[in-house]
């Protein structure tokens, strides 16, 4: 549609807020009937540059199950949001949050994942969380699966590698959709679903030590089961609560060609296609041709039931959400050593990096928003973006984190430019508004929040909450609807 007027800033009703995951904040991993989740058997990384994306074996799981402590497994303790949720939500409200993205731990509702009836104590906890959000007028954005499926399903079916898990997951989603009908307007199915190509964290499937071709077969088969489950959940929600919306969630891994060499450009294009494959399926409802070729060349055979493709085609998501932390460069030769939030590739000499080596590229966010809008023409939602850094709590209780303000300001400015470009952007939930256990390394010292939590990597500390300088800055950003970024 031809237009002569362009938006000058973020639209009225733009959803400003923050995002967390149950396994990184809740704690209370073994109370009120909760079962073990896959996140709670992943050990802390040996150092901050070592991401624990793999390394989970049947033997390591059994060791973890036999260990009743949280010493090696920090996600078991989180930051005790389970007992601090009122205080934390009040702080979110003080910043002016319009939306809070969080996940509901599947193993808190169905401890083993496949029970016939849900655990009422688990549901009661989330009832209270929603009560608090409603008290302050904060909309919930709920992720249904955020790296925390019941461990029992890994032991029984090798996680999503088993088709049986589809029915178990959709029993869980149906319970939530019915219980929270009219209370939750926005849902997401699988967090960073493309992380399933890395194995255990998203799929719950153990494949360490297998040849690469067998790993790829297991991972893409597991992902197919997740695609089907996501489409069924979309159908469920539209029937149970027609006013609610459901979206997909992708770890956006924008990459650039290292040089103008056409071989580098084609290599970068292929990397982008492999990243956008997931939103292609969930938004368009079909497997794209380029992935069919990829499957054939890697001898991957996706087993489907007769109506799987029909389910996918008839139930695309309503909107697309994604995380954005960094970009990489790609060449047709050596991929380099840049690593962060699932993205691997070459380092970009024009960009600075965080303490954890994640390269900082605000303009890349605008590029990603424009490319995804042009590709899908569905509303977009940036549901993760933030800076992990080492923060210093001063003796007077202050945390001066201008580096975080600078990072967020630059990314929000580029989001505003994308809106001016015509992108339909629903909102922005910064990761994570309160310090939490890092997904990639299970550290506490990798801090993202506007709110400092007094806890160290060993779990020691008072758990007292402190407002950082960025807390007051973000409050001003929200109050001005993104106009005041000074």
């Amino acid at each position: 549609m031809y237009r002569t007027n362009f938006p000058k800033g973020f639209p009225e009703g733009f959803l400003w807020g923050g995002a967390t995951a149950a396994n990184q904040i809740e704690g209370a991993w073994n109370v009120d009937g909760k079962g073990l989740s896959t996140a709670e058997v992943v050990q802390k990384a040996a150092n901050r540059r070592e991401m624990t994306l793999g390394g989970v074996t049947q033997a390591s799981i059994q060791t973890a199950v036999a260990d009743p402590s949280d010493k090696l497994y920090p996600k078991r303790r989180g930051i005790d949001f389970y007992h601090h949720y009122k205080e934390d939500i009040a702080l979110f409200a003080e910043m002016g949050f319009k939306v809070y993205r969080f996940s509901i731990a599947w193993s808190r509702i169905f401890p083993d994942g496949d029970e016939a009836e849900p655990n009422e104590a688990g549901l009661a906890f989330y009832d209270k969380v929603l009560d608090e959000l409603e008290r302050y007028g904060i909309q919930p954005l709920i992720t249904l699966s955020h790296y925390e499926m019941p461990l029992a399903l890994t032991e029984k079916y090798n996680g999503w590698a088993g088709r049986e898990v589809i029915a178990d997951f959709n029993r869980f989603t149906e319970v939530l959709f019915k219980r929270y009908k009219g209370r939750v307007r926005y849902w997401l199915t699988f967090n960073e679903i493309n992380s399933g190509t890395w194995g255990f964290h998203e799929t719950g499937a153990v494949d360490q030590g297998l040849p690469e071709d067998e790993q790829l077969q297991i991972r893409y088969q597991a992902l197919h089961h997740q695609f089907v489950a996501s489409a069924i959940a979309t159908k469920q929600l539209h029937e149970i609560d027609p006013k609610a919306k459901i979206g997909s969630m992708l770890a956006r891994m924008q990459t650039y060609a290292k040089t103008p060499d056409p071989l580098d450009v084609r290599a970068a294009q292929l990397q982008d296609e492999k990243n956008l494959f997931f939103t292609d399926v969930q938004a368009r409802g079909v497997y794209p041709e380029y992935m069919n070729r990829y499957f054939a060349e890697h001898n991957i055979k996706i087993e489907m039931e007769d109506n799987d493709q029909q389910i996918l085609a008839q139930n695309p998501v309503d909107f697309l959400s994604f995380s954005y932390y960094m970009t990489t460069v790609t060449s047709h030769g050596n991929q380099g050593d840049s690593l962060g939030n699932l993205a691997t590739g070459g380092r970009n000499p024009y960009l600075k990096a965080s303490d954890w080596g994640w390269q900082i590229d605000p303009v890349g966010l605008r590029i990603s928003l424009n490319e995804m809008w042009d590709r899908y023409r569905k509303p977009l939602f940036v549901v993760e973006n933030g800076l992990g850094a080492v923060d210093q709590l001063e003796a007077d209780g202050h945390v001066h984190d201008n580096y975080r303000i600078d990072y967020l300001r630059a990314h929000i400015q580029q989001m505003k430019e994308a809106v001016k470009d015509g992108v339909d952007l629903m909102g922005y939930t910064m990761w994570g508004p309160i310090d939490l256990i890092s997904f990639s390394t299970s550290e506490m010292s990798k801090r993202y929040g506007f709110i400092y939590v007094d806890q160290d990597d060993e779990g020691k500390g008072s758990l007292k909450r402190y407002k950082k300088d960025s807390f007051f800055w973000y409050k001003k950003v929200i109050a001005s609807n993104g106009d005041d970024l000074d």
Side-chain angles (χ1 to χ4, degrees):
M1 180 175 66
Y2 176 71
R3 296 171 57 183
T4 57
N5 61 317
F6 299 92
K8 296 180 179 180
F10 295 103
E12 183 179 352
F14 189 78
L15 295 171
W16 296 98
T20 63
N23 68 88
Q24 293 172 258
I25 66 165
E26 283 185 3
W29 65 284
N30 58 354
V31 303
D32 291 337
K34 183 182 178 301
L36 266 175
S37 76
T38 50
E40 290 153 353
V41 297
V42 178
Q43 289 194 20
K44 185 175 73 171
N47 61 73
R48 68 179 48 168
R49 292 299 181 97
E50 176 192 328
M51 297 176 68
T52 54
L53 294 177
V56 177
T57 65
Q58 293 294 349
S60 72
I61 289 174
Q62 294 310 310
T63 299
V65 170
D67 186 346
S69 74
D70 59 19
K71 183 178 180 180
L72 298 176
Y73 310 97
K75 292 189 179 75
R76 295 182 180 183
R77 59 176 175 264
I79 57 167
D80 199 24
F81 177 80
Y82 198 76
H83 298 104
H84 290 258
Y85 69 93
K86 288 186 177 181
E87 174 188 359
D88 294 342
I89 291 172
L91 288 167
F92 299 159
E94 186 178 340
M95 277 186 280
F97 275 24
K98 309 300 182 186
V99 64
Y100 171 45
R101 178 192 171 211
F102 63 99
S103 65
I104 290 182
W106 183 357
S107 63
R108 203 175 283 286
I109 310 305
F110 289 92
D112 288 335
D114 60 357
E115 292 89 348
E117 299 296 330
N119 171 32
E120 183 60 33
L123 288 166
F125 168 68
Y126 295 107
D127 292 347
K128 293 183 289 186
V129 170
L130 289 178
D131 289 343
E132 287 300 302
L133 293 174
E134 289 168 0
R135 176 183 174 188
Y136 295 106
I138 300 173
Q139 291 208 54
L141 168 61
I142 295 180
T143 310
L144 292 160
S145 179
H146 195 137
Y147 301 150
E148 53 205 12
M149 74 181 299
L151 182 65
L153 295 180
T154 289
E155 296 172 319
K156 190 172 183 179
Y157 301 118
N158 200 21
W160 281 99
R163 189 177 176 96
E164 298 88 345
V165 176
I166 296 175
D168 294 328
F169 179 74
N170 290 128
R171 185 184 309 109
F172 166 62
T173 57
E174 183 178 20
V175 165
L176 296 184
F177 294 156
K178 287 181 175 178
R179 190 173 184 105
Y180 299 128
K181 178 181 179 180
R183 298 188 72 183
V184 179
R185 183 176 176 184
Y186 302 108
W187 299 85
L188 302 176
T189 52
F190 296 97
N191 178 73
E192 295 183 332
I193 188 169
N194 52 309
S195 66
T197 58
W198 289 80
F200 181 76
H201 286 79
E202 177 55 33
T203 65
V206 179
D207 59 20
Q208 290 300 299
L210 295 177
E212 183 180 3
D213 60 340
E214 293 184 35
Q215 287 184 333
L216 287 174
Q217 176 64 43
I218 289 172
R219 293 173 186 183
Y220 279 103
Q221 184 64 55
L223 284 161
H224 174 72
H225 296 153
Q226 289 183 302
F227 287 145
V228 173
S230 176
I232 293 173
T234 300
K235 183 175 187 293
Q236 288 175 327
L237 181 67
H238 289 163
E239 292 174 350
I240 294 169
D241 193 356
K243 294 182 179 180
K245 302 294 184 183
I246 192 164
S248 62
M249 201 292 202
L250 178 78
R252 182 66 181 113
M253 298 188 293
Q254 183 77 47
T255 190
Y256 309 131
K258 185 176 182 178
T259 73
D261 182 339
L263 292 176
D264 284 354
V265 175
R266 172 54 190 153
Q269 182 183 48
L270 178 59
Q271 284 297 106
D272 256 353
E273 286 178 340
K274 287 168 64 180
N275 182 220
L276 295 171
F277 155 60
F278 303 87
T279 36
D280 279 353
V281 175
Q282 292 187 287
R284 293 171 167 173
V286 295
Y287 274 74
E289 290 80 1
Y290 61 83
M291 283 304 293
N292 292 333
R293 175 175 177 174
Y294 176 84
F295 293 149
E297 291 178 346
H298 290 80
N299 199 31
I300 297 168
K301 297 179 175 62
I302 305 298
E303 295 182 7
M304 299 189 186
E305 292 196 352
D306 292 342
N307 63 341
D308 281 2
Q309 295 191 68
Q310 182 179 3
I311 291 171
L312 296 177
Q314 293 179 348
N315 300 285
V317 292
D318 301 310
F319 63 94
L320 302 173
S321 73
F322 63 97
S323 62
Y324 177 87
Y325 293 97
M326 63 178 292
T327 56
T328 62
V329 296
T330 298
S331 68
H332 68 282
N334 182 22
Q335 294 298 305
D337 62 353
S338 181
L339 176 64
N341 193 45
L342 312 177
T344 57
R347 304 190 75 80
N348 191 326
Y350 297 97
L351 302 177
K352 296 180 180 179
S354 74
D355 293 336
W356 274 260
W358 296 23
Q359 293 202 287
I360 299 170
D361 182 8
V363 176
L365 177 55
R366 180 183 179 184
I367 293 169
S368 290
L369 284 164
N370 274 280
E371 288 190 356
M372 292 183 74
W373 172 245
D374 289 342
R375 191 180 186 102
Y376 299 112
R377 294 286 160 167
K378 284 181 179 281
L380 303 178
F381 205 144
V382 179
V383 294
E384 285 187 32
N385 169 244
L387 177 69
V390 178
D391 292 338
Q392 179 63 47
L393 179 66
E394 305 293 344
D396 60 4
H398 289 93
V399 177
H400 304 300
D401 60 340
N402 286 336
Y403 42 86
R404 180 168 292 108
I405 293 172
D406 291 342
Y407 176 99
L408 295 173
R409 177 192 295 117
H411 285 80
I412 292 171
Q413 286 172 334
Q414 292 300 319
M415 285 197 309
K416 184 184 290 188
E417 292 301 316
V419 171
K420 292 179 182 179
D421 293 335
V423 172
D424 183 356
L425 186 59
M426 299 168 60
Y428 174 77
T429 55
M430 167 269 190
W431 183 269
I434 185 169
D435 291 345
L436 39 67
I437 305 296
S438 165
F439 156 66
S440 58
T441 58
S442 290
E443 290 173 281
M444 188 69 200
S445 55
K446 185 181 184 182
R447 298 178 182 272
Y448 284 88
F450 301 121
I451 302 162
Y452 185 96
V453 178
D454 181 28
Q455 179 176 253
D456 64 16
D457 288 338
E458 304 304 316
K460 299 174 183 176
S462 67
L463 290 176
K464 185 176 179 180
R465 275 63 165 156
Y466 297 88
K467 302 170 189 175
K468 304 178 189 179
D469 289 354
S470 58
F471 179 101
F472 303 99
W473 175 82
Y474 196 53
K475 179 178 181 178
K476 183 174 60 173
V477 171
I478 296 175
S480 66
N481 197 28
D483 286 339
D484 188 352
L485 298 175
D486 292 336

